[in-house]
Amino acid sequence: MAWRELVAREKRAAFRDQDYWGRPVPGLGPADAPLLIVGLAPAAHGGNRTGRMFTGDRSGDVLFAALYAAGLANQPTAVHRGDGLELLHTRITAPVHCAPPDNKPTTGERDTCGAWLRAELALLRPRAAVVLGAYGWQALLPVLADAGWVVPRPRPRFGHGVHVELAGNRGPLHLFGSYHVSQQNTFTGKLTPAMLEDVLRQAARAAEIPEKR
């Protein structure tokens, strides 16, 4: 908490004339969305600055372009909260809602924010979820178990393109893994736009979202 507020006061030089959000960043998208995207945490000068998940940073540039290509967003860019972006049939959340130092949440931060993820998931009825990165995968599995989905043991291992169907009292959940949209992954080619779009389209079909025409 103290670090996210420090970043909001000191700012990055390129954004020194902007007012930073500097608070926990809420989930984004309709509450009745059948598809859930689970990230990591807000970026210091992205979501922590703009107050919206994946907005105003390079990771968001990649994610929203892919969502738009898959018919899950009304535009391919996300710059600020008033830019007209709308997610279609999709909601974005994260295990941690405050920007952590070096984009590396601690176990304590994960556990503290876990209550918010549990509360959010209790209100949602997703049919599919795409988890961006191993951290989100490990953080989400126990939350899904608490929400009534059956997580097998040993727990499914994260991997790009992994697809696991979890039975549950609210119906099955199709869980997909994707490498995170971090600059490290996208700049090196570990994650390409085509790879991300493919996972999103698979998840959209599993969630029974009409295909973009």
Side-chain angles (χ1 to χ4, degrees):
M1 181 176 70
W3 189 82
R4 78 163 191 245
E5 294 172 355
L6 176 64
V7 169
R9 290 195 303 271
E10 294 185 345
K11 306 180 182 180
R12 177 174 285 174
F15 308 125
R16 61 180 177 273
D17 296 330
Q18 298 184 21
D19 291 329
Y20 272 54
W21 174 260
R23 302 191 292 277
V25 180
L28 168 66
D32 61 350
L35 176 59
L36 185 65
I37 309 292
V38 181
L40 173 64
H45 304 283
N48 190 54
R49 172 173 60 89
T50 63
R52 196 172 69 187
M53 290 277 183
F54 285 105
T55 298
D57 60 30
R58 296 289 180 86
S59 295
D61 292 345
V62 174
L63 177 60
F64 287 111
L67 287 168
Y68 176 74
L72 301 173
N74 70 327
Q75 62 188 44
T77 57
V79 182
H80 56 79
R81 292 198 309 279
D83 61 10
L85 173 75
E86 292 183 15
L87 295 181
L88 308 176
H89 316 290
T90 304
R91 184 171 178 83
I92 297 175
T93 190
V96 175
H97 287 267
C98 295
D102 300 320
N103 288 324
K104 296 179 180 178
T106 65
T107 302
E109 288 171 321
R110 180 200 66 195
D111 293 344
T112 298
C113 277
W116 295 107
L117 185 59
R118 285 175 171 81
E120 186 174 18
L121 196 60
L123 299 174
L124 304 176
R125 293 293 184 272
R127 292 194 287 268
V130 175
V131 186
L132 303 175
Y135 182 96
W137 184 271
Q138 294 301 327
L140 182 64
L141 288 177
V143 176
L144 293 177
D146 288 347
W149 281 285
V150 180
V151 177
R153 292 189 174 277
R155 289 179 178 174
R157 295 184 63 181
F158 171 78
H160 184 84
V162 166
H163 174 204
V164 181
E165 184 175 349
L166 306 179
N169 51 28
R170 292 189 286 174
L173 178 72
H174 293 268
L175 188 64
F176 293 83
S178 170
Y179 293 138
H180 195 276
V181 288
S182 66
Q183 291 187 51
Q184 179 179 358
N185 287 341
T186 57
F187 283 7
T188 61
K190 183 176 182 179
L191 177 68
T192 66
M195 291 168 62
L196 178 58
E197 290 169 26
D198 181 59
V199 172
L200 290 173
R201 287 192 172 97
Q202 289 183 56
R205 286 194 293 270
E208 301 178 9
I209 296 172
E211 290 191 26
K212 179 182 178 182
R213 296 185 181 277

